[in-house]
Amino acid sequence: MRPLADGTIPPEGSAYWVALTQFETAARVLNLDEGMADYLRHPKRELTVNFPVTMDDGPLRMFTGYRVHHNTVRGPTKGGIRYHPNVDLNEVRALAMWMTWKCAVVNIPYGGAKGGVIVDPNLLSQSEVRRLTRRFATEISIIMSPEGDIPAPDVNTNAQTMAWIMDTYSMHKGYSVPAVVTGKPVQIGGSLGRVDATGRGVMVTTREALKLRGKSYRDVTVAVQGFGNVGSFAASLMAAEGAKVVAVSDASGGIANSKGLDLKALKEHVARNKIVKGFPEADEITNQELLTYKCDVLAPCALENQLTGQNADQVKAWIVAEGANGPTMPEADRILEDKGVMLIPDILCNAGGVTASYFEWVQDLQSFFWTEAEINARLERIMAEAFHAVMAEAEKRKVGRRVAAQVLAIGRVAEAATLRGIYP
Ligand code: GLU
């Protein structure tokens, strides 16, 4: 891999290495000018912040966080903030780059960004997480604004986190600025339909994929890795359409029942116990076993680098719907393609979240709010159209679906960059 402008090459296997490897393939297919390709594979700006938080019992503890803006040619940057012990700059760079392509693939007027803090929030109290969030929001406020960069929830962050960020930013300004983040509670300028939007997009794109093979949800079994902002909603929305959800997992491990899991009861179990483990009438499985569990649709909705050269050939599903960002390594991509698995790539499959975020932002800027039916109808239309545009691109160029999605997206960003011209 060609070194970046600072002379470094990201470690092989890191999320940024994966993102750049995918980018190189797409840039070749697009026959992108070498200078333009080099421009698009670099993040525009990166902020690292080290900041103190007062812990409940008195002492200060230092934390490190990041906010990366990958590209701004199509609009302000958009992307979530995650709290996870494995966050690092290369991961945030990759996730920011994927956000640029994701917004372009569904054709919403944003560039990509991502943020993260190195922390396991499950080990902190609610008030410690609140203070951490407010301080991190203050630290990144120098590059965050409704016009410039709009965060949203990601792994281990949620509507409450966004409420604190919105409040912190608003306190500094002296007036309320709801449009500075999306994924807020509806009571303070959030959008109806945002909370389940990523899962809904997974459901819609998978439905369209099933249709291509003359199937519907009633014909299939589904395994979902991750039971958070994406997986829990993807699972219940697919179940509501008639699918049999046979396995789910979270960070604690997984549960399976080949006769199907009762999603309503499972959600109640998780509300009580925080984890899927211990759910009655199911076998315990590991996260690894979930990925190779017998099913028709596998939806990895957790973290990066899950499907690898080691496990991809044991995948039994014939559709892989990537609710997560970057769950499949390039080697696994090749294996799945050879097996004839129908891949719905991350930047398409999980774009429902940022699409509903766009609706939220537009509503906030206009202080004019839409009904849930309007939001879901618009989301359905955008997701289904993007799905078929990617399928058409794959057909036209005779490439796999990941490459097709990236080609469509990167082509749009390159075109916008060319039209704007390189400053000065
Ligand atoms: N974190 C989500 C993602 O990875 C949503 C981003 C957003 O809504 O801005 O797509």
Side-chain angles (χ1 to χ4, degrees):
M1 178 176 297
R2 179 166 165 202
L4 293 155
D6 65 2
T8 61
I9 295 179
E12 187 166 337
S14 67
Y16 193 33
W17 177 88
V18 172
L20 289 175
T21 305
Q22 295 170 351
F23 176 79
E24 277 176 7
T25 309
R28 252 196 318 275
V29 172
L30 266 174
N31 212 357
L32 211 60
D33 169 81
E34 212 175 289
M36 178 60 75
D38 202 29
Y39 166 38
L40 295 183
R41 71 198 193 107
H42 283 83
K44 177 187 175 77
R45 57 171 81 92
E46 310 177 337
L47 178 65
T48 299
V49 294
N50 300 299
F51 58 98
V53 176
T54 308
M55 306 311 277
D56 286 346
D57 49 1
L60 292 186
R61 197 175 133 193
M62 290 302 292
F63 291 88
T64 298
Y66 309 96
R67 185 77 184 165
V68 172
H69 296 175
H70 172 255
N71 189 284
T72 55
V73 297
R74 298 182 78 252
T77 52
K78 190 82 193 79
I81 290 174
R82 70 171 53 176
Y83 291 168
H84 197 276
N86 296 345
V87 162
D88 68 23
L89 187 52
N90 272 328
E91 182 190 59
V92 181
R93 286 171 172 149
L95 293 162
M97 181 187 241
W98 284 324
M99 284 309 304
T100 304
W101 313 148
K102 189 186 302 186
C103 295
V105 96
V106 284
N107 217 354
I108 56 177
Y110 286 138
K114 203 75 172 199
V117 177
I118 307 170
V119 61
D120 182 350
N122 301 311
L123 303 179
L124 302 187
S125 71
Q126 165 96 343
S127 51
E128 288 168 337
V129 176
R130 189 186 67 237
R131 287 194 293 277
L132 177 141
T133 301
R134 285 188 177 283
R135 182 63 190 242
F136 179 63
T138 302
E139 298 292 341
I140 65 166
S141 65
I142 54 173
I143 61 164
M144 169 172 80
S145 67
E147 305 83 26
D149 176 36
I150 308 115
D154 198 76
V155 176
N156 288 331
T157 58
N158 54 29
Q160 177 62 75
T161 326
M162 297 307 116
W164 290 327
I165 295 178
M166 178 271 204
D167 184 69
T168 302
Y169 188 87
S170 300
M171 288 299 108
H172 295 171
K173 288 286 173 193
Y175 48 86
S176 290
V177 190
V180 73
V181 287
T182 59
K184 299 175 295 294
V186 173
Q187 298 86 331
I188 55 167
S191 176
L192 295 166
R194 173 62 184 88
V195 72
D196 64 2
T198 315
R200 186 173 298 277
V202 174
M203 182 275 282
V204 171
T205 51
T206 305
R207 184 192 63 208
E208 296 304 302
L210 288 168
K211 276 197 219 157
L212 292 182
R213 297 276 167 93
K215 303 259 185 230
S216 80
Y217 275 117
R218 303 203 170 279
D219 306 314
V220 293
T221 54
V222 182
V224 180
Q225 185 192 43
F227 208 67
N229 295 340
V230 184
S232 65
F233 295 105
S236 20
L237 288 167
M238 291 200 241
E241 297 287 313
K244 198 196 279 179
V245 177
V246 289
V248 302
S249 69
D250 57 25
S252 73
I255 52 165
N257 183 340
S258 57
K259 293 200 197 72
L261 298 160
D262 177 347
L263 264 295
K264 198 166 161 274
L266 178 59
K267 284 213 160 166
E268 282 160 15
H269 170 87
V270 172
R272 272 193 312 274
N273 305 287
K274 303 254 182 293
I275 55 176
V276 297
K277 237 177 163 169
F279 183 66
E281 286 174 51
D283 301 323
E284 283 197 6
I285 57 170
T286 64
N287 259 295
Q288 278 307 311
E289 285 164 344
L290 181 128
L291 296 171
T292 56
Y293 196 80
K294 190 172 178 322
C295 61
D296 300 297
V297 177
L298 171 65
C301 298
L303 293 168
E304 306 91 65
N305 296 5
Q306 297 303 300
L307 294 168
T308 66
Q310 271 72 55
N311 61 11
D313 64 331
Q314 295 146 50
V315 167
K316 317 245 175 356
W318 56 273
I319 291 183
V320 170
E322 294 183 331
N325 295 307
T328 309
M329 303 287 282
E331 206 182 329
D333 264 338
R334 279 191 292 276
I335 297 170
L336 294 178
E337 203 167 330
D338 288 348
K339 276 162 71 92
V341 169
M342 199 193 279
L343 175 81
I344 313 172
D346 50 3
I347 59 168
L348 167 67
C349 189
N350 70 40
V354 74
T355 302
S357 276
Y358 168 57
F359 299 158
E360 179 173 335
W361 180 74
V362 168
Q363 292 171 82
D364 286 339
L365 292 176
Q366 303 184 344
S367 297
F368 178 71
F369 291 87
W370 315 343
T371 66
E372 189 160 6
E374 276 173 289
I375 287 156
N376 288 344
R378 285 179 198 251
L379 182 69
E380 277 259 350
R381 202 191 63 225
I382 290 181
M383 293 305 294
E385 277 178 14
F387 176 88
H388 291 290
V390 169
M391 294 306 117
E393 192 75 24
E395 189 63 35
K396 183 177 101 191
R397 296 192 185 256
K398 305 276 171 259
V399 292
R401 295 180 175 84
R402 183 181 316 287
V403 180
Q406 295 233 348
V407 161
L408 193 64
I410 294 166
R412 284 178 180 161
V413 179
E415 197 184 358
T418 307
L419 283 167
R420 284 180 62 157
I422 300 298
Y423 178 86

